[in-house]
């Protein structure tokens, strides 16, 4: 039971910490297996994906 509560608390903390970013625009690449990579501001890959996404999504 304690292990389950600890796991739940860890997930909640992770979600809250991810939401407290100053940058309102986040670029996260997610693979089919569930792993993900967040591209940091200022990287060329992120800038390119933001440009492409801006054109594709009105």
């Amino acid at each position: 039971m304690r292990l389950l509560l600890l796991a739940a608390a860890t997930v909640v903390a992770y979600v809250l910490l991810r939401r407290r970013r100053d940058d309102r625009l986040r670029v996260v690449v997610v693979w089919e297996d569930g792993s993900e990579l967040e591209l940091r501001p200022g990287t060329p890959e992120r800038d390119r994906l933001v440009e492409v996404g801006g054109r594709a999504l009105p």
Side-chain angles (χ1 to χ4, degrees):
M1 183 66 168
R2 287 183 185 180
L3 185 58
L4 182 61
L5 290 174
L6 179 62
T10 302
V11 169
V12 169
Y14 174 75
V15 169
L16 289 176
L17 288 174
R18 287 188 59 143
R19 298 177 94 200
R20 293 185 184 190
R21 302 252 168 91
D22 290 337
D23 186 14
R24 294 184 57 164
L25 184 63
R26 291 179 45 224
V27 177
V28 179
V29 180
V30 180
W31 283 268
E32 193 173 290
D33 67 355
S35 59
E36 62 182 44
L37 171 70
E38 182 173 356
L39 299 175
R40 299 286 179 204
T43 60
E45 296 85 1
R46 179 184 188 268
D47 295 340
R48 178 71 180 136
L49 284 174
V50 168
E51 177 186 335
V52 171
R55 289 191 312 235
L57 303 170

